[in-house]
Amino acid sequence: MGVIVSILKDFSRIPGPRYVSEGKFSGEQFRKEVLVPKVKEAMESDSEILIDLDGVSGYGTSFLEEAFGGLIREEHIPYEFLKTKLKLKSEEDPDYKDEIWEDIENAHKEECK
Amino acid sequence: MDISSKRKKWKIRHDRKSMMLKVHFKEKRREDFRLGRSRYTPSFLSEPQGSTNYHFLKAPDNFSLVSNENEVLAFIDEINSYYQKKEPVFINMDTVSTLGNGAILLLLANMILFREKGINFNGSKPNNITLRQELETSGFFRHLYKTGKDGMNYTVGTPLSKIYTHAQKEVDTEAADRIIEVASETVWGEKRRCTGVQRTLIELMHNTNNHAGSKKGEKHWWISSNRDQKNQVATISFMDFGMGIFDSLNNKHPGDLFYGWKDLFSKFFPWADSSDKIMKLILEGELHKTCTGKSYRGKGLPGIYSAYKKGKLGKLIIISNRVYADIGNDDFHLMNGNLHGTFISCEINNTIFNLPWV
C-alpha cells in the first residue's frame, strides 16, 4: 500500500460539519489540509491511497460528502483515479464505505451533466 | 455573673429572636406574594430585576413534552403570548411531579428569551423533593443569570450533572462527544463510543445551523442530557426554536429543490394528506427522492431514522410543528398545539451499537 491516511491520527477524533464556517474539524478542512495533499502524492507516485475511517467518535453525512464528494466537485480529482486507487478501511462501521462511494458516484454524475 | 457573660447571654437571646423574626417575616412575605397581596418578589428561580407585575402561570403537573405534549405546548404558547407583549411571568412549578428534558429546554430557552429582552421571568421550584434536588444540583437555577448577554453559547450544569444543558449555534462535535462520553459511563460503567448517537447529534446541529433560521447560523440548538444511573439509561434531548420541519419546507423559495414540494409529493403519495403521514415518508427518504430524483440514504432526518432502525440509538421521538412521532411505537399523530421548532429525544441504553473508547 502506498499512501495511508488515518482520520483519527492525521486529522481529528471528532470530525465536524461540512464547512469551516460551520464549526471545527470540518470536511472542507480535512479535504484541503489532509486529503488533497495525500491524494496528489498518490497520483504522482501512481500508488494506492488507503483511508482509515476507524477510531473516531462518528461522522456526520456532510463531513463525508464534502471531503470525498468534494474531491471531484471542488478539486477535480479524476473519477477513474479514485475508482481504481482509493481504498477505504472501516472495520468498525462498514456503512461508511458505502456512503462515501455513493457520495463519489453522485459527485461524478453531477460533473458529467 | 460578670458583665461580659451577661452581655454574651443577651447577645445570644437577641440573635435568636432576630433570626426567628427574620424567618417569620420572610415566610409572611412569601405567603403574601403567593396570594398576590404584595409586590415583594422572593428569590425562586432567579433574583428579580426591575418591576414585578407578574402574570402567574401554573406549569402542567406532568411537565413533559414527550408524555404530555398538548398541555405543555399550550403552556408554552401562553408564556410566549406574554413574551410578545413584553410582560413578566411567574411560573408556578409547585405541583410539578414529572419534569422532562424537553420541558427543561423549553423553560430555559424561554427564560433566556425573556432575559434578553429585559422582561422578568421567575417562578417557584417544584415541591417534589427529588425534582427540586435534581434541578438544584444540575446548576439550573444557579447558572440562569450568569450567562452572557450576547447569547452565543449557554451551558447549564456540567456534563457530569444528572441534567446538563448546552446551547450553541455552530456544529460542535466536541460537545456531542463529551455528552456521549459521560452518558456511556452511566450505561456501561465505562466510556464507550456511540457513533449513531454522535451522527444524530451532528445531523441535528447541522440542520439547525443551516435551516432553522432565515439565514445560516442564526438559531441556537439546545442539548440536554439526563442520566438515569439506576436504570442505566441516558436520555439525550435536542431542540431548536427555528421554523420546524414543515414550516421550513413550506418556506422554500423558487429555485430551491424543495420549492413546491407539496404539489409534487401529492402526485406520488396522494394518501399522505396530513403532516403526520408525510413525516413518516420524510424519515424514509421519500421526500428527498421525489424532489431531487436522488436516493437520500443516511442523510439528515432519514439518516437519524436509519441509525435508529440499525440499532445505533434507542427510543427515538421527534416533535416538530404539529407532528408527534414516536418511532418505536409507530405512533405518528397530529398535536393540538404547534411546536415552533424541532424537538428530538433519543436514548443511550445497553442494547445500542457501541464501540470501545479511543
Side-chain angles (χ1 to χ4, degrees):
Chain A
M1 182 57 64
V3 179
I4 298 173
V5 177
S6 160
I7 296 185
L8 173 68
K9 290 176 189 158
D10 300 323
F11 186 60
S12 173
R13 213 192 121 265
I14 41 168
R18 178 184 290 274
Y19 299 120
V20 171
S21 62
E22 294 168 341
K24 287 189 216 167
F25 309 120
S26 64
E28 182 187 12
Q29 185 189 354
F30 170 67
R31 191 188 73 233
K32 284 180 177 168
E33 293 177 8
V34 180
L35 197 53
V36 170
K38 293 285 186 185
V39 167
K40 286 186 175 163
E41 189 186 322
M43 285 170 80
E44 278 162 20
S45 58
D46 194 31
S47 54
E48 288 189 341
I49 174 166
L50 175 75
I51 313 292
D52 183 353
L53 298 152
D54 289 335
V56 303
S57 60
Y59 294 98
T61 53
S62 301
F63 176 93
L64 296 176
E65 204 289 324
E66 187 58 33
F68 294 95
L71 282 178
I72 289 180
R73 189 177 52 251
E74 306 292 333
E75 312 292 344
H76 309 292
I77 302 291
Y79 169 74
E80 287 309 319
F81 172 80
L82 295 177
K83 195 75 188 156
T84 52
K85 302 286 187 185
L86 178 68
K87 307 291 170 202
L88 301 170
K89 174 177 172 277
S90 185
E91 287 168 3
E92 291 182 342
D93 191 340
D95 287 349
Y96 293 140
K97 286 163 77 168
D98 297 338
E99 281 179 37
I100 290 171
W101 281 116
E102 194 174 299
D103 291 335
I104 291 173
E105 297 292 342
N106 282 338
H108 175 57
K109 278 181 204 159
E110 283 294 314
E111 207 184 43
C112 292
K113 272 185 188 174
Chain B
M1 194 180 287
D2 60 16
I3 291 173
S4 76
S5 78
K6 258 187 180 176
R7 201 181 169 83
K8 225 179 202 171
K9 274 192 171 176
W10 174 85
K11 197 174 179 320
I12 290 169
R13 275 203 306 274
H14 175 78
D15 286 352
R16 196 179 295 153
K17 200 173 168 188
S18 299
M19 182 57 77
M20 281 167 70
L21 281 171
K22 207 173 166 183
V23 170
H24 170 74
F25 283 113
K26 193 175 176 186
E27 286 303 315
K28 190 173 182 310
R29 281 198 305 270
R30 282 192 173 212
E31 191 55 28
D32 285 349
F33 178 72
R34 277 175 203 274
L35 297 171
R37 294 195 302 235
S38 163
R39 289 182 64 175
Y40 165 76
T41 310
S43 171
F44 288 115
L45 291 187
S46 63
E47 290 299 328
Q49 295 166 357
S51 70
T52 50
N53 294 318
Y54 288 115
H55 294 278
F56 290 82
L57 308 176
K58 187 182 173 302
D61 291 353
N62 178 4
F63 199 13
S64 162
L65 193 52
V66 171
S67 59
N68 190 20
E69 71 276 13
N70 287 323
E71 213 183 329
V72 169
L73 286 180
F75 177 66
I76 295 300
D77 275 349
E78 205 180 353
I79 295 177
N80 279 334
S81 70
Y82 289 110
Y83 172 74
Q84 300 300 335
K85 289 186 272 183
K86 296 186 177 172
E87 292 175 6
V89 295
F90 185 97
I91 310 296
N92 179 350
M93 291 208 288
D94 289 357
T95 57
V96 169
S97 53
T98 306
L99 186 59
N101 272 15
I104 291 173
L105 290 179
L106 281 168
L107 201 56
L108 188 59
N110 273 286
M111 284 174 174
I112 287 169
L113 278 177
F114 272 70
R115 191 199 58 166
E116 283 180 346
K117 290 265 182 202
I119 314 165
N120 271 334
F121 190 103
N122 214 330
S124 59
K125 297 174 186 176
N127 287 338
N128 180 306
I129 292 168
T130 317
L131 282 186
R132 179 188 283 241
Q133 278 174 351
E134 275 178 15
L135 284 172
E136 281 172 349
T137 53
S138 74
F140 185 79
F141 302 112
R142 204 168 50 247
H143 285 74
L144 186 59
Y145 279 80
K146 284 187 180 173
T147 49
K149 178 118 185 160
D150 62 344
M152 284 309 287
N153 303 336
Y154 302 98
T155 301
V156 178
T158 71
L160 294 170
S161 315
K162 188 169 182 289
I163 301 169
Y164 167 66
T165 308
H166 182 79
Q168 199 171 318
K169 290 179 179 177
E170 283 188 334
V171 178
D172 185 352
T173 49
E174 208 168 351
D177 183 58
R178 182 82 180 113
I179 284 175
I180 292 167
E181 178 186 355
V182 176
S184 65
E185 282 186 301
T186 302
V187 177
W188 290 284
E190 62 176 20
K191 293 175 192 173
R192 306 282 298 175
R193 283 177 293 149
C194 304
T195 52
V197 179
Q198 179 80 3
R199 162 163 288 192
T200 297
L201 295 177
I202 297 173
E203 298 300 317
L204 292 170
M205 290 174 188
H206 218 275
N207 276 350
T208 304
N209 183 278
N210 285 198
H211 307 298
S214 50
K215 57 177 194 251
K216 269 181 89 169
E218 188 184 42
K219 296 282 180 182
H220 277 102
W221 48 259
W222 295 76
I223 286 184
S224 186
S225 151
N226 192 338
R227 296 178 298 120
D228 180 350
Q229 205 85 42
K230 194 176 148 201
N231 295 306
Q232 293 176 292
V233 169
T235 305
I236 314 283
S237 302
F238 183 98
M239 186 176 276
D240 73 48
F241 299 93
M243 287 184 251
I245 297 166
F246 294 92
D247 288 352
S248 171
L249 282 170
N250 292 335
N251 216 34
K252 297 294 180 198
H253 297 293
D256 190 290
L257 285 170
F258 291 92
Y259 178 71
W261 69 279
K262 238 177 198 169
D263 295 337
L264 192 60
F265 209 54
S266 63
K267 282 180 196 162
F268 288 92
F269 303 98
W271 53 268
D273 53 0
S274 63
S275 300
D276 52 332
K277 293 173 189 162
I278 293 169
M279 173 72 104
K280 202 169 185 179
L281 292 167
I282 290 175
L283 292 174
E284 287 165 355
E286 295 295 347
L287 175 70
H288 192 94
K289 210 189 287 178
T290 306
C291 293
T292 68
K294 285 182 197 164
S295 77
Y296 199 52
R297 195 186 53 178
K299 291 183 174 65
L301 284 171
I304 295 168
Y305 180 70
S306 158
Y308 174 78
K309 288 281 177 193
K310 288 178 177 173
K312 292 179 178 176
L313 54 130
K315 198 174 179 183
L316 177 62
I317 290 173
I318 304 175
I319 301 175
S320 190
N321 297 132
R322 289 195 59 213
V323 177
Y324 180 104
D326 177 347
I327 315 299
N329 290 317
D330 200 27
D331 172 14
F332 290 74
H333 67 258
L334 291 177
M335 304 180 296
N336 298 335
N338 188 344
L339 175 67
H340 304 285
T342 302
F343 169 83
I344 293 193
S345 162
C346 68
E347 258 184 22
I348 297 181
N349 58 47
N350 59 16
T351 65
I352 71 164
F353 177 75
N354 64 92
L355 294 163
W357 189 258
V358 174

